[in-house]
Amino acid sequence: MAHNSTTTITATFETREAADIAVEHLVQQHRISRPDIFIKANGERNSAGSLPSGGDASHPGGARHDAALEGDIEVSVDITPDKIPAVQRSLGDSGAIRVTGK
């Protein structure tokens, strides 16, 4: 980032779908550069979240359970302090179960 002072905000999501939506909101609504946004499994194992979503949830015959549902998804974003309230609100509105950092 071009600014000297940045803060990292971290949000936890139960599905990869919700995490992806949150990232799009950060990029499109708050004009945060994608290199300043990070997505990872919230734990040691690779994960698609802790709940089925998207195509896995709407699979004919019920939700698929062969995805790696090993834990939540974490989205972190490096921002300038003036964006903290708006970014925290946006992450919450996108379905975050936890938002930390200030």
Side-chain angles (χ1 to χ4, degrees), residues 67-80:
L69 298 177
E70 302 290 341
D72 299 328
I73 304 295
E74 182 181 285
V75 173
S76 60
V77 56
D78 294 337
I79 57 171
T80 55

Side-chain angles (χ1 to χ4, degrees), residues 14-18 48-49 51-59 63-64 67 69:
E14 292 180 306
T15 67
R16 178 63 190 230
E17 180 181 34
L51 297 173
S53 66
D56 292 336
S58 62
H59 193 267
R64 290 179 56 179
L69 298 177

Side-chain angles (χ1 to χ4, degrees), residues 24-96:
E24 289 307 311
H25 286 203
L26 295 174
V27 170
Q28 294 176 18
Q29 294 174 353
H30 302 287
R31 300 194 184 286
I32 296 171
S33 178
R34 284 188 190 273
D36 293 326
I37 303 170
F38 310 91
I39 302 173
K40 70 178 191 86
N42 192 13
E44 297 291 320
R45 302 184 72 172
N46 192 19
S47 179
S50 55
L51 297 173
S53 66
D56 292 336
S58 62
H59 193 267
R64 290 179 56 179
H65 295 284
D66 58 344
L69 298 177
E70 302 290 341
D72 299 328
I73 304 295
E74 182 181 285
V75 173
S76 60
V77 56
D78 294 337
I79 57 171
T80 55
D82 61 310
K83 292 187 176 188
I84 292 171
V87 166
Q88 287 177 327
R89 189 171 37 258
S90 181
L91 291 167
D93 290 348
S94 296

